[in-house]
Amino acid sequence: MSALLDGFAAVLTPENLLFAVIGVTVGTLVGVLPGIGPALTIALLLPLTFNLDSPTGALIMFAGIYAGAMYGGSTTSILLNTPGESASVATSIEGYQMARRGRARAALATAAIGSFVAGTISTVLLSVLAAPMARFAVMFRAADYFALAVLALVAVTALVGRSMVRGLLSLTLGLFLGLVGIDSLTGQARFTFGSVNLLDGVNIVVVIVGLFAIGETLHLASRPTDVPSTVAPLEPPRGFAWLTREDWRRSWRPWLRGTALGFPFGALPSGGAELPTFLSYTYESRRSPHRDEFGTGAIEGVAGPEAANNASFSGVLVPLLTLGIPTSATAAVMLAAFQIFNVQPGPDLFDEGGALVWALIASLYVGNVLLLLLNLPLIRLWVKVLRIPRPVLYASILVFATLGVYAVSGSVFQVLLAYAIGVAGFFMRRYDFPIAPVILGLILGPMMEEQFRRALSLSNGDFGVFVSRPLTVVLLSLAVLALVVPYAPRLLAHGRADRVPAKVTLGEDD
């Protein structure tokens, strides 16, 4: 508790509070804009934070962007039936129907308040679980870390995208990029192709900006979509915080159930926010006393999914801060932000960088309050953002991406490399290759290789070290299971006439 109070003291300084306000405002903005997600935004802003004296402000801002994007996606889902984020799709089902019935304010209010409730509860859970989880992680040995990295890579690769082969190819690309440069143990150049520009390896900022800022922008520009011109009207305010007594009665239980679903799924590899939001919607539609309203604007169908959506964010931070393992593409970009400031998330972070961690956790409490204040009063402003001409928006992103890479590297070669990676990212999206495995392979690949070599070195080359500890065996077994789970429906239905999907897939958080 004293560490958390110290964190609040750090966050509430004028400088860090300004970073929090900037983060949640920008995050809400990108959540409103379809396709412009938090990973792209953080990638774009990474180069701008290099000159900051302390990483605390930058990480507070990035956390605000991530949380704000979760909030912002509900606005266009409800008013325009155009989800700004994939995690907001479930919200749009009932939210837009409520808006068409003249209940847009109630839908927006239950989404915003539910997000605040879920965000606050999940942050409390993060505060309680993070330190014990870190103490448990201290017991991990080199073989355990190797197995954990394998599990994270395999789980994300297997569960995102419709094709296992495409996912593995994306992972292979990420692992290859992680091997480029000087081998830290032997001093030999690997995959530099005779270029001195690659001796230091492929800069992670270059890859992130290329894949997300450049690749995503090219992909969006190649398939322009018309933003609906008809915005659902906002009815006159009524009740407390736009909700009647009946609305409050029907919303508070879905808020809590959505939180209970979102937090644990956020902590799972590739769990993300898409699965818990749809699970929440399915549960509410089947168990609600007002089942007959679903499909025509049931408030439970907005309250539950939005709570699950925002609770998943705090869940994502548990393995990221305590184990150094990202469970989504955006979390991987956050991990890169830590590493840029020479801060390595993991078990030792709470001892070596405890002030930073608790300031980051405290900023989530502050951010939730700021987001509640931003979302309801400024709703008309966020809708007007959708009127920004798409060519102007995309051109601005490309200009900032170019300037950011050049500012970081001072090299035209790195700028050209970023654009080459961006073009590759464009074709990956065009042909349905998942992006998340590339980033995870690039970040976790070197760590996995290092722990693999360390384990063999400590065991004098005995490969039995990877099956000698129960924890290592369990993690590797889960990795094998992750390869089978996506095909479970097909295997279970073998021999039956039922039509089932060939592979279970989850949304990719980028």
Side-chain angles (χ1 to χ4, degrees), residues 383-417:
V383 175
K384 288 181 180 179
V385 167
L386 286 165
R387 308 299 181 224
I388 297 175
R390 287 296 182 267
V392 174
L393 180 64
Y394 298 150
S396 300
I397 292 173
L398 292 178
V399 169
F400 278 113
T402 305
L403 292 176
V405 172
Y406 188 77
V408 169
S409 63
S411 168
V412 175
F413 174 84
Q414 298 293 340
V415 173
L416 295 176
L417 180 61

Coordinates of all heavy atoms in Angstrom, one line a residue, residues 383-417:
V383 N -17.2 12.5 -32.1 CA -17.9 12.2 -33.3 C -17.4 13.0 -34.5 O -17.3 12.5 -35.6 CB -19.4 12.3 -33.1 CG1 -20.2 12.1 -34.5 CG2 -20.0 11.3 -32.1
K384 N -17.1 14.3 -34.2 CA -16.6 15.2 -35.3 C -15.3 14.7 -35.8 O -14.9 15.0 -36.9 CB -16.6 16.6 -34.8 CG -17.9 17.3 -34.6 CD -17.8 18.7 -34.1 CE -19.2 19.3 -33.9 NZ -19.1 20.7 -33.4
V385 N -14.5 14.0 -35.0 CA -13.2 13.5 -35.4 C -13.3 12.6 -36.6 O -12.4 12.6 -37.5 CB -12.5 12.8 -34.2 CG1 -11.3 12.0 -34.7 CG2 -12.1 13.7 -33.1
L386 N -14.5 11.9 -36.7 CA -14.7 11.0 -37.9 C -14.7 11.8 -39.2 O -14.7 11.2 -40.3 CB -15.9 10.2 -37.7 CG -15.8 9.1 -36.6 CD1 -17.2 8.6 -36.2 CD2 -15.0 8.0 -37.2
R387 N -14.9 13.1 -39.1 CA -15.0 13.9 -40.4 C -13.7 14.3 -41.0 O -13.6 14.9 -42.0 CB -15.8 15.2 -40.1 CG -17.2 14.9 -39.4 CD -18.1 14.0 -40.3 NE -19.4 13.8 -39.7 CZ -20.0 12.7 -39.6 NH1 -19.4 11.6 -40.1 NH2 -21.2 12.6 -39.0
I388 N -12.6 13.9 -40.3 CA -11.2 14.2 -40.8 C -11.1 13.5 -42.1 O -11.3 12.3 -42.2 CB -10.1 13.8 -39.8 CG1 -10.3 14.6 -38.5 CG2 -8.8 14.0 -40.4 CD1 -9.3 14.1 -37.4
P389 N -10.7 14.2 -43.2 CA -10.5 13.5 -44.5 C -9.5 12.4 -44.4 O -8.4 12.6 -43.8 CB -10.0 14.6 -45.4 CG -10.5 15.8 -44.8 CD -10.5 15.6 -43.3
R390 N -9.8 11.2 -44.8 CA -8.9 10.1 -44.7 C -7.5 10.3 -45.4 O -6.5 9.9 -44.8 CB -9.5 8.8 -45.3 CG -10.6 8.2 -44.4 CD -10.0 7.8 -43.0 NE -11.0 7.2 -42.1 CZ -11.7 7.9 -41.2 NH1 -11.5 9.2 -41.1 NH2 -12.6 7.3 -40.4
P391 N -7.4 10.9 -46.6 CA -6.1 11.1 -47.2 C -5.2 12.0 -46.3 O -4.0 11.7 -46.2 CB -6.4 11.8 -48.5 CG -7.8 11.4 -48.8 CD -8.5 11.3 -47.5
V392 N -5.8 13.0 -45.7 CA -5.0 13.9 -44.8 C -4.5 13.1 -43.6 O -3.3 13.2 -43.2 CB -5.8 15.1 -44.3 CG1 -5.1 15.9 -43.3 CG2 -6.2 15.9 -45.5
L393 N -5.4 12.2 -43.0 CA -5.0 11.4 -41.8 C -3.9 10.5 -42.2 O -2.8 10.4 -41.5 CB -6.2 10.7 -41.4 CG -6.0 9.7 -40.1 CD1 -5.6 10.6 -38.9 CD2 -7.3 8.9 -39.9
Y394 N -4.0 9.7 -43.3 CA -3.0 8.7 -43.7 C -1.7 9.4 -44.0 O -0.6 8.9 -43.7 CB -3.5 7.9 -44.8 CG -4.7 7.1 -44.5 CD1 -5.7 6.8 -45.5 CD2 -5.0 6.7 -43.2 CE1 -6.8 6.0 -45.2 CE2 -6.2 6.0 -42.9 CZ -7.1 5.6 -43.9 OH -8.2 4.9 -43.6
A395 N -1.7 10.5 -44.8 CA -0.5 11.2 -45.1 C 0.2 11.7 -43.9 O 1.5 11.6 -43.8 CB -0.8 12.3 -46.1
S396 N -0.5 12.2 -42.9 CA 0.1 12.7 -41.7 C 0.8 11.6 -40.9 O 1.9 11.7 -40.4 CB -1.0 13.3 -40.8 OG -1.6 14.4 -41.4
I397 N 0.2 10.4 -40.9 CA 0.8 9.2 -40.2 C 2.1 8.9 -40.9 O 3.1 8.6 -40.2 CB -0.2 8.0 -40.2 CG1 -1.4 8.3 -39.3 CG2 0.5 6.8 -39.7 CD1 -2.4 7.3 -39.3
L398 N 2.1 8.8 -42.2 CA 3.4 8.4 -42.9 C 4.5 9.5 -42.7 O 5.6 9.1 -42.5 CB 3.1 8.3 -44.4 CG 2.2 7.1 -44.8 CD1 2.0 7.1 -46.3 CD2 2.9 5.8 -44.4
V399 N 4.1 10.7 -42.7 CA 5.1 11.8 -42.4 C 5.7 11.7 -41.1 O 6.9 11.7 -40.9 CB 4.5 13.2 -42.6 CG1 5.4 14.3 -42.1 CG2 4.2 13.4 -44.1
F400 N 4.9 11.5 -40.0 CA 5.4 11.3 -38.7 C 6.2 10.1 -38.5 O 7.2 10.1 -37.8 CB 4.2 11.3 -37.7 CG 3.7 12.7 -37.3 CD1 2.4 13.1 -37.7 CD2 4.5 13.5 -36.6 CE1 1.9 14.4 -37.4 CE2 4.0 14.8 -36.2 CZ 2.7 15.2 -36.7
A401 N 5.8 9.0 -39.2 CA 6.6 7.7 -39.1 C 8.0 7.9 -39.7 O 9.0 7.5 -39.1 CB 5.8 6.6 -39.9
T402 N 8.0 8.6 -40.8 CA 9.3 8.8 -41.5 C 10.2 9.7 -40.6 O 11.4 9.4 -40.4 CB 9.1 9.5 -42.9 OG1 8.2 8.7 -43.7 CG2 10.5 9.7 -43.6
L403 N 9.7 10.8 -40.1 CA 10.5 11.7 -39.3 C 10.9 11.0 -38.0 O 12.0 11.2 -37.5 CB 9.6 13.0 -38.9 CG 9.3 13.9 -40.1 CD1 8.4 15.0 -39.6 CD2 10.6 14.5 -40.7
G404 N 10.0 10.2 -37.4 CA 10.3 9.5 -36.2 C 11.5 8.5 -36.4 O 12.4 8.5 -35.5
V405 N 11.5 7.7 -37.4 CA 12.6 6.7 -37.7 C 13.9 7.5 -37.9 O 14.9 7.1 -37.4 CB 12.2 5.8 -38.9 CG1 13.4 5.0 -39.2 CG2 11.0 4.9 -38.5
Y406 N 13.8 8.5 -38.7 CA 15.1 9.3 -39.0 C 15.6 10.0 -37.7 O 16.8 10.0 -37.5 CB 14.8 10.3 -40.1 CG 16.1 11.0 -40.5 CD1 17.0 10.3 -41.4 CD2 16.5 12.2 -40.1 CE1 18.2 10.9 -41.8 CE2 17.7 12.8 -40.5 CZ 18.5 12.1 -41.4 OH 19.7 12.7 -41.8
A407 N 14.7 10.4 -36.9 CA 15.1 11.1 -35.6 C 15.8 10.1 -34.7 O 16.8 10.4 -34.0 CB 13.9 11.7 -34.9
V408 N 15.3 8.9 -34.7 CA 15.9 7.8 -33.8 C 17.3 7.4 -34.3 O 18.2 7.2 -33.6 CB 15.0 6.6 -33.7 CG1 15.7 5.5 -33.0 CG2 13.7 7.0 -32.9
S409 N 17.4 7.1 -35.6 CA 18.5 6.5 -36.2 C 19.5 7.4 -36.9 O 20.7 7.2 -37.0 CB 18.1 5.4 -37.2 OG 17.4 6.0 -38.3
G410 N 19.0 8.6 -37.4 CA 19.8 9.5 -38.2 C 20.3 8.8 -39.5 O 21.4 9.2 -40.0
S411 N 19.7 7.8 -40.0 CA 20.1 7.0 -41.1 C 19.0 6.9 -42.1 O 17.9 6.5 -41.8 CB 20.6 5.6 -40.6 OG 20.8 4.8 -41.7
V412 N 19.4 7.2 -43.4 CA 18.4 7.0 -44.5 C 18.2 5.5 -44.7 O 17.1 5.1 -45.1 CB 19.0 7.7 -45.8 CG1 18.0 7.4 -46.9 CG2 19.1 9.2 -45.6
F413 N 19.2 4.7 -44.5 CA 19.1 3.3 -44.6 C 18.0 2.7 -43.7 O 17.2 1.9 -44.1 CB 20.4 2.6 -44.3 CG 20.3 1.1 -44.3 CD1 20.5 0.4 -45.4 CD2 20.1 0.4 -43.1 CE1 20.4 -1.0 -45.4 CE2 20.0 -1.0 -43.1 CZ 20.2 -1.7 -44.3
Q414 N 17.9 3.2 -42.4 CA 16.9 2.7 -41.5 C 15.5 3.2 -42.0 O 14.5 2.4 -41.8 CB 17.2 3.2 -40.1 CG 18.5 2.8 -39.5 CD 18.5 1.3 -39.2 OE1 17.5 0.6 -39.1 NE2 19.7 0.7 -39.1
V415 N 15.4 4.4 -42.5 CA 14.1 4.8 -43.0 C 13.7 3.9 -44.2 O 12.5 3.5 -44.2 CB 14.2 6.3 -43.5 CG1 12.9 6.7 -44.2 CG2 14.5 7.2 -42.3
L416 N 14.6 3.6 -45.1 CA 14.3 2.7 -46.2 C 13.9 1.3 -45.7 O 13.0 0.7 -46.3 CB 15.4 2.7 -47.2 CG 15.8 4.0 -47.9 CD1 17.0 3.8 -48.8 CD2 14.6 4.5 -48.8
L417 N 14.6 0.9 -44.7 CA 14.3 -0.4 -44.1 C 12.9 -0.4 -43.5 O 12.2 -1.4 -43.6 CB 15.4 -0.8 -43.1 CG 15.2 -2.1 -42.3 CD1 15.3 -3.3 -43.3 CD2 16.3 -2.3 -41.3

